[in-house]
Amino acid sequence: PTGVIGAGVVLVLVLFLNSLLADLPQSVLAAVVIAAAFSLMDVGALVRYGRVRPSAVALSLVATLGVIVLGVLAGIVLAILLAIFLFFRRSWWPHGSVLGQAPGIDGWHSLDDHESAIELDQVVVYRWEAPLFFANAGAFRNEIRHLVHHRSPTWVVLQCEAITDIDVTAAEMLERLDVELNGSGVHLAFAEMRTRLQELTYNYGLFDTLDRDHFYPTLDAALEAVANSGDEPGVGSA
C-alpha cells in the first residue's frame, strides 16, 4: 500500500504540481534519484548469490556500472551480451562426471562428490551435463578417450538424461568415436536418452554404426544388460 501511495503522490507532482519542482537545484533532484537507486539495492541477496553463483554477482555489477557509465540502454545491452556469453561458455565447457554407487545412498552419483562411491569392474558410467553440439563435441570425445585410456574398460555407458540435443557435428563425432572404440574392443551404450534424440540418431543414420540394442531406458537396465552380456574384456564390437 505504501508503494502505491508513494507512486500516486509522484504521479500527481509530475502531472499537476510540477511547478513546485521547477526551482529545486539539480543536485537535490540528483540526490533524490540516488536515494531511490540505493533503496533498490539488495546487498544481502548479492552476498547470498555470490556464495553459490559468483557469475550472477559479476553480471549484476557489470550491468550497474554499464548503466552508470554508458547509459540505461547501453548498460542493459551490455548485460544481455555478457549473459549470453556466460551461457555459451557453460555449454562449450560443460561439466561431466564418472558415476558410481555410494554406500547407503540410492542411485548413481558423481565420484567427485562421493569419494567412497564404487565403480563396476570393466565399466565406466559417464554423465554429460549439456547438449552435444559442435562447440563441445571435441571436449566430449577427448574426455571419453581419456577415460578409456586410463581405465581400460570393456563398456562405456553414457548417462544421457542431461543431454537435450545432438547436432550434426556431434552426431558425426559419435559415429567416429564408436568406430574408434570398437577397434579397441570397447562397447558404447546409452542410457536414459530421450526418445526424441533416439529418433534423431536414427535419422542421422547412426544406427548403421551404433547398435540399436545398446540404447536403454534406464541406467539400471543398461548395467543389467552389460552384466548379462558375457563379453570378455577387450573382445567384441558395438
Side-chain angles (χ1 to χ4, degrees):
T2 56
V4 174
I5 294 173
V9 171
V10 171
L11 183 63
V12 170
L13 284 173
V14 171
L15 294 179
F16 305 108
L17 302 174
N18 50 19
S19 60
L20 297 177
L21 305 176
D23 296 328
L24 287 176
Q26 289 189 354
S27 57
V28 175
L29 295 176
V32 172
V33 174
I34 292 173
F38 273 114
S39 68
L40 298 175
M41 292 182 60
D42 191 344
V43 178
L46 290 178
V47 173
R48 187 168 63 254
Y49 294 151
R51 297 193 187 102
V52 295
R53 184 58 72 87
S55 61
V57 177
L59 182 61
S60 175
L61 295 177
V62 168
T64 302
L65 293 175
V67 169
I68 294 173
V69 177
L70 304 176
V72 176
L73 183 59
I76 293 176
V77 170
L78 177 63
I80 292 174
L81 292 176
L82 181 59
I84 293 174
F85 170 77
L86 291 176
F87 170 77
F88 278 107
R89 181 181 180 277
R90 288 192 293 269
S91 298
W92 288 334
W93 295 284
H95 181 66
S97 300
V98 176
L99 305 183
Q101 290 181 305
I105 305 176
D106 292 334
W108 290 76
H109 305 275
S110 171
L111 299 184
D112 296 331
D113 299 329
H114 300 273
E115 295 181 356
S116 60
I118 301 172
E119 298 181 71
L120 295 180
D121 186 38
Q122 297 293 310
V123 178
V124 169
V125 181
Y126 185 71
R127 178 176 62 205
W128 183 256
E129 300 179 2
L132 265 175
F133 68 117
F134 67 92
N136 62 28
F140 175 87
R141 180 189 61 234
N142 292 337
E143 185 65 22
I144 297 300
R145 285 175 173 173
H146 175 80
L147 291 172
V148 169
H149 176 73
H150 287 278
R151 296 170 183 261
S152 301
T154 304
W155 286 84
V156 175
V157 180
L158 301 177
Q159 203 268 10
C160 305
E161 183 180 15
I163 299 177
T164 57
D165 194 20
I166 299 175
D167 74 355
V168 175
T169 302
E172 293 177 352
M173 177 275 298
L174 285 175
E175 184 176 22
R176 292 194 299 269
L177 179 63
D178 185 58
V179 172
E180 178 183 328
L181 294 179
N182 289 337
S184 302
V186 180
H187 303 287
L188 187 62
F190 302 83
E192 301 180 10
M193 178 179 282
R194 303 162 193 259
T195 302
R196 174 180 61 84
L197 294 185
Q198 292 188 41
E199 294 174 352
L200 192 60
T201 58
Y202 176 79
N203 293 332
Y204 283 145
L206 295 187
F207 284 146
D208 294 338
T209 302
L210 301 176
D211 191 331
R212 65 176 67 243
D213 293 331
H214 289 175
F215 287 76
Y216 301 95
T218 66
L219 187 54
D220 289 337
L223 296 174
E224 182 179 356
V226 167
N228 295 330
S229 65
D231 290 315
E232 296 296 332
V235 179
S237 64

